[in-house]
Amino acid sequence: MQSPADAARLLPMPLPPSRLASSFFAFLVLAACESGGTHPLPGVPVAPTPAATAAALDAQVRQLALASRPGTRHAALAPLAGEWDVALSLISAAGDEAEPYRGHATLGWILGGRYMHWEATIDFAGTSGTTTGYLGFDTGRAEYELMMISDLSQAMEVAHGTGDLQGPGLVFTLERADPRSGSTVRARSRIRLLAADHFVLEQLEPGADGVDRTTRVWHYRKAPVTR
């Protein structure tokens, strides 16, 4: 039977909040400063009125809402939305897939299409593993971002990626410092759309020749519609 520690390695790699969100909290502070008046005594600021502060904040929030609207790169993720049957397999050096672990996943838009929420549960021979995460595109950085957390792990990090979902795939890279050795550990994964009803999430690891190869693959196939 697969141990929880081993099973955790079979889940999508655990993958910073958006700068827009950070800017929003900064605006909460700046609103008061920008809406202040002039004191009769030079150099003495006047505390802003509640109405002035509210008006400034309202304007800034409207600006953030417009600036963060999803674009074409977000829309490109639309084929991932839906209910999916999942099959996870280890892949040998020869490229053969082992007998899969099976589960189910639901992917869907949240926050007005800015992020794709990802929820997947897989049965590892009696030990259930659930992963939840978020996939989106940061226009400011011109890159996709993926965060995955699991009930078989305590890690919470973000992987950054580029590419084309319907072409070579979206390739994500996650780098973290190993607290034991101090060295940098690098992990890579790829999401590829193979058909309208089938996409894969692949874990990539360098082989003896230094070239990345797929060592684990999660097959996502559209679940049958039940009535």
Side-chain angles (χ1 to χ4, degrees), residues 46-121:
V46 173
T49 66
T53 299
L57 181 57
D58 288 347
Q60 291 159 352
V61 169
R62 285 194 297 271
Q63 181 182 3
L64 285 173
L66 290 174
S68 66
R69 288 183 302 182
T72 56
R73 297 294 187 92
H74 297 82
L77 301 175
L80 302 181
E83 300 288 332
W84 304 87
D85 289 326
V86 185
L88 162 61
S89 293
L90 303 178
I91 300 182
S92 70
D96 299 320
E97 295 187 16
E99 184 68 23
Y101 299 98
R102 299 192 180 276
H104 184 80
T106 302
L107 281 73
W109 292 112
I110 63 169
L111 301 179
R114 290 168 174 81
Y115 303 94
M116 179 79 72
H117 178 233
W118 195 314
E119 187 87 15
T121 299

Side-chain angles (χ1 to χ4, degrees), residues 13 43 65 70 108 132 139 159-160 176 183 190 215 220:
M13 67 176 185
T132 188
T139 303
H160 306 268
R176 67 167 68 171
S183 62
R190 176 171 56 199
T215 57
Y220 282 70

Side-chain angles (χ1 to χ4, degrees), residues 1-197:
M1 178 181 296
Q2 198 82 14
S3 71
D6 291 335
R9 300 183 65 248
L10 303 180
L11 292 171
M13 67 176 185
L15 299 174
S18 165
R19 290 197 305 277
L20 285 174
S22 300
S23 298
F24 173 77
F25 292 108
F27 280 136
L28 292 179
V29 177
L30 292 176
C33 300
E34 295 176 353
S35 59
T38 302
H39 194 279
L41 297 178
V44 179
V46 173
T49 66
T53 299
L57 181 57
D58 288 347
Q60 291 159 352
V61 169
R62 285 194 297 271
Q63 181 182 3
L64 285 173
L66 290 174
S68 66
R69 288 183 302 182
T72 56
R73 297 294 187 92
H74 297 82
L77 301 175
L80 302 181
E83 300 288 332
W84 304 87
D85 289 326
V86 185
L88 162 61
S89 293
L90 303 178
I91 300 182
S92 70
D96 299 320
E97 295 187 16
E99 184 68 23
Y101 299 98
R102 299 192 180 276
H104 184 80
T106 302
L107 281 73
W109 292 112
I110 63 169
L111 301 179
R114 290 168 174 81
Y115 303 94
M116 179 79 72
H117 178 233
W118 195 314
E119 187 87 15
T121 299
I122 295 178
D123 179 23
F124 295 99
T127 299
S128 177
T130 297
T131 295
T132 188
Y134 300 93
L135 171 62
F137 184 79
D138 187 328
T139 303
R141 291 191 175 96
E143 65 182 15
Y144 286 97
E145 295 181 333
L146 175 63
M147 183 195 76
M148 292 284 193
I149 55 177
S150 166
D151 61 359
L152 299 177
S153 172
Q154 295 179 344
M156 182 185 295
E157 301 181 58
V158 176
H160 306 268
T162 58
D164 182 0
L165 178 67
Q166 303 196 45
L170 301 178
V171 178
F172 292 88
T173 300
L174 171 65
E175 294 186 346
R176 67 167 68 171
D178 185 338
R180 294 167 296 184
S181 66
S183 62
T184 299
V185 178
R186 179 171 168 268
R188 285 161 62 82
S189 62
R190 176 171 56 199
I191 303 174
R192 291 189 296 148
L193 184 69
L194 303 183
D197 60 352

